Amino acid sequence: MEEVQGEKQSSRLVLVLYPFQGHINPMLQLATILHAKGYSITIIHPEFNSPNPSNHPHFTFISIPDQLVESGVSLAPGDFIDRVLALNKNCTAPFQKCLERMLDDDQKHPLERIAGVVYDCFMYFVQAVADDLGLPGFNMRPTAAAILLFSVVPHTEQESIFESQISELQPLELKQMLTSFSMNPSDNMKEMRAASLNAIRSSSGIIANTMEFLEHAALSMIRQYSPAPVFTLGPFHKLAPSCSTSILQEDAHCISWLDKQAPKSVIYVSFGSMASLSKQEIVEIAWGLANSKQPFLWVIRPGLVHGSEGTELIPDGFRQKVGDHRGFIVKWAPQREVLAHDAVGGFWTHCGWNSTLESLSEGVPMLCKPCFGDQFLNMKYICYAWKIGIQVESELERGKIQGAIKTLMADIQGEEIRNKAMELKRKTILSLTEGGSSLSSLEEFTKQMLSI
Ligand code: UDP
């Protein structure tokens, strides 16, 4: 920290949230990491899905109007582009006013200055406001860094670069993904891509929730094309272990249930905060779990099946088959604690990036059923690049589910996957120790902040 007339001047960072669970978690974790490095933290967030300030007494929270509900934007997972565009449009003026007010206050309190603004990559409007007010802006990526390749590699070069991609990236089948992205992009999609690329280009840095060893090839390609430095501080939740960031109430009873289970015996099943399933899929999952004979902890979030609580769809006879003790169903779990529990030996996931990092950093192998967006790329990383998971066929069928659970958790065919998962856990720990890549990257970030 600098000195002003012999007194220490402290620095404040302003962090801007995109208000959905998979984005709120990493941003609040990053805030906790940066707070531990000595920064004061202000979180600016849309009114929609406001985080609970009492869980973070050290941060200042400011909400800004977002008009999301009033503008009639769909909240369905697949309609995220309209939502992103609406938030970027509606939040710009209130955010600018709010930041100007904070800068005015700064002048009255010379012992604290705003050092920079860190924003979720979906809230890209922030970069232009930060530029306008002369503040450095940092683009926070809560997804795999590889997703950035679709932005930073020039469009005219993407096809040939992805075709001749180096072997480490081959399992991601980027060329195939590019073809599906490029097929009839809507005007809204084009607008979002262009604006988000502009933000990346003028940012002072990219803060990625990933690790160097995990995405080595993607990161070196990004660094070839992006002028902004890339800081890899992931997995954020391991550097900020103690903060609760859930919007839904976590049911902690499942931890006492896990305490009674044998080591590595339980399959944890959860499809995150946005994915949805059909009624028939719930029935197939239920019978697959029941027939696998494996203990299970299953998250059935209200809305997982559209317009339903979900639990009423569990078929007759399921409870008799499972008995009172082999299975536990909750609406929302303390997932990071669950995955770190000794009893958990496998995770059936939709492959959201947070879930992916939370699982691999605990050495838990995965069954993968991606539902939309970047989850397909994450699945390819998990199953075909890192080889710590098994892809579940997209059409769910109880017999195949039962077989996949057995392979992942118990059979000899799954042993290599289980060993590989433990190897990635060890590498994760190394990244997070003194001299490891994530801690070194955090040091580089703070050095850069001091030099601005
Ligand atoms: N999560 C949780 N409890 C649950 C299910 C999910 O706390 O029962 C958390 C999980 O730990 C993760 C986030 O919700 O941090 C989901 O993010 P992810 O990127 O995996 O998927 P998304 O919900 O964005 O699709």
Side-chain angles (χ1 to χ4, degrees):
M1 306 285 151
E2 292 164 38
E3 301 228 334
V4 175
Q5 292 172 349
E7 292 198 66
K8 291 256 181 269
Q9 189 188 38
S10 64
S11 295
R12 177 166 293 276
L13 285 173
V14 174
L15 276 64
V16 185
L17 284 184
Y18 176 69
F20 291 87
Q21 189 72 72
H23 292 246
I24 292 173
N25 288 3
M27 190 58 106
L28 290 176
Q29 289 154 4
L30 179 61
T32 306
I33 297 168
L34 296 172
H35 184 259
K37 289 305 274 181
Y39 292 100
S40 304
I41 300 289
T42 296
I43 306 280
I44 299 188
H45 60 89
E47 281 162 352
F48 181 80
N49 265 351
S50 292
N52 182 355
S54 65
N55 287 337
H56 312 275
H58 304 302
F59 306 160
T60 305
F61 285 83
I62 303 177
S63 82
I64 51 173
D66 54 62
Q67 306 289 318
L68 207 51
V69 176
E70 293 81 343
S71 46
V73 175
S74 155
L75 297 176
D79 298 334
F80 83 97
I81 295 176
D82 294 352
R83 219 158 42 225
V84 168
L85 288 178
L87 280 169
N88 277 274
K89 183 164 155 267
N90 302 349
C91 293
T92 304
F95 175 73
Q96 173 124 15
K97 246 191 230 154
C98 178
L99 203 54
E100 280 170 355
R101 228 180 4 250
M102 288 179 73
L103 285 166
D104 275 353
D105 283 351
D106 257 15
Q107 296 188 330
K108 292 177 209 142
H109 305 285
L111 290 184
E112 187 174 86
R113 66 174 186 116
I114 299 178
V117 186
V118 180
Y119 57 94
D120 187 286
C121 59
F122 277 172
M123 302 292 269
Y124 44 75
F125 73 92
V126 170
Q127 183 63 52
V129 177
D131 288 344
D132 196 33
L133 298 175
L135 289 169
F138 292 86
N139 194 295
M140 191 284 277
R141 316 290 308 185
T143 60
I147 296 287
L148 260 172
L149 291 170
F150 295 102
S151 306
V152 298
V153 176
H155 283 193
T156 47
E157 292 176 35
Q158 284 187 352
E159 200 168 318
S160 62
I161 298 256
F162 293 164
E163 204 156 35
S164 66
Q165 63 198 226
I166 25 180
S167 61
E168 260 181 86
L169 288 176
Q170 258 163 16
L172 300 186
E173 298 178 317
L174 294 173
K175 167 106 190 291
Q176 207 173 303
M177 287 187 85
L178 180 66
T179 315
S180 64
F181 275 173
S182 320
M183 246 188 285
N184 309 319
S186 64
D187 287 348
N188 280 357
M189 162 89 93
K190 287 190 212 153
E191 181 185 336
M192 186 183 91
R193 282 198 202 149
S196 109
L197 179 59
N198 281 342
I200 295 168
R201 284 201 181 124
S202 24
S203 76
S204 298
I206 294 166
I207 303 179
N209 192 10
T210 192
M211 288 175 277
E212 293 291 325
F213 82 85
L214 212 52
E215 296 203 74
H216 176 76
L219 286 163
S220 40
M221 199 183 270
I222 291 161
R223 287 181 173 122
Q224 241 173 284
Y225 287 98
S226 165
V230 185
F231 302 100
T232 51
L233 314 186
F236 295 168
H237 75 283
K238 295 301 275 185
L239 285 175
S242 62
C243 62
S244 164
T245 50
S246 270
I247 301 173
L248 294 173
Q249 180 74 35
E250 294 170 345
D251 184 343
H253 293 103
C254 59
I255 301 294
S256 355
W257 178 82
L258 284 175
D259 289 341
K260 296 188 203 104
Q261 308 305 317
K264 295 204 183 298
S265 65
V266 175
I267 173 109
Y268 169 60
V269 185
S270 171
F271 301 100
S273 63
M274 304 285 281
S276 59
L277 297 176
S278 68
K279 291 178 187 171
Q280 188 52 32
E281 285 178 318
I282 293 282
V283 172
E284 294 305 313
I285 293 172
W287 285 121
L289 289 171
N291 296 338
S292 76
K293 308 247 167 38
Q294 210 71 35
F296 60 86
L297 168 59
W298 185 7
V299 177
I300 304 185
R301 184 192 88 234
L304 175 63
V305 175
H306 188 65
S308 140
E309 278 291 303
T311 37
E312 77 277 14
L313 304 171
I314 290 174
D316 291 342
F318 170 80
R319 290 184 201 278
Q320 288 88 314
K321 171 113 191 172
V322 168
D324 287 337
H325 305 294
R326 184 160 63 89
F328 204 88
I329 296 177
V330 292
K331 290 186 173 169
W332 193 249
Q335 180 166 302
R336 294 186 289 275
E337 211 181 326
V338 165
L339 288 166
H341 198 288
D342 283 348
V344 173
F347 179 17
W348 184 358
T349 173
H350 70 307
C351 308
W353 185 245
N354 294 290
S355 295
T356 303
L357 289 179
E358 287 159 10
S359 196
L360 81 82
S361 57
E362 301 302 340
V364 177
M366 289 169 256
L367 280 191
C368 298
K369 186 206 172 340
C371 296
F372 62 89
D374 65 331
Q375 296 157 15
F376 289 93
L377 180 136
N378 302 340
M379 178 274 288
K380 287 177 189 159
Y381 256 145
I382 297 167
C383 300
Y384 306 109
W386 310 324
K387 301 190 170 67
I388 57 168
I390 298 172
Q391 182 179 1
V392 179
E393 277 183 33
S394 59
E395 195 167 322
L396 295 182
E397 191 275 318
R398 61 192 77 181
K400 293 204 170 123
I401 295 171
Q402 177 188 349
I405 294 174
K406 276 287 170 213
T407 306
L408 188 80
M409 307 280 294
D411 290 353
I412 189 81
Q413 299 99 297
E415 199 171 317
E416 216 170 296
I417 291 175
R418 295 192 289 274
N419 290 341
K420 200 86 211 298
M422 286 310 290
E423 186 188 321
L424 290 204
K425 174 180 178 170
R426 286 189 287 275
K427 287 188 172 172
T428 302
I429 294 171
L430 283 179
S431 301
L432 296 167
T433 44
E434 204 59 40
S437 64
S438 299
L439 279 196
S440 306
S441 209
L442 178 57
E443 289 311 316
E444 272 168 42
F445 173 75
T446 46
K447 248 191 247 159
Q448 169 160 344
M449 289 303 295
L450 282 175
S451 70
I452 289 175

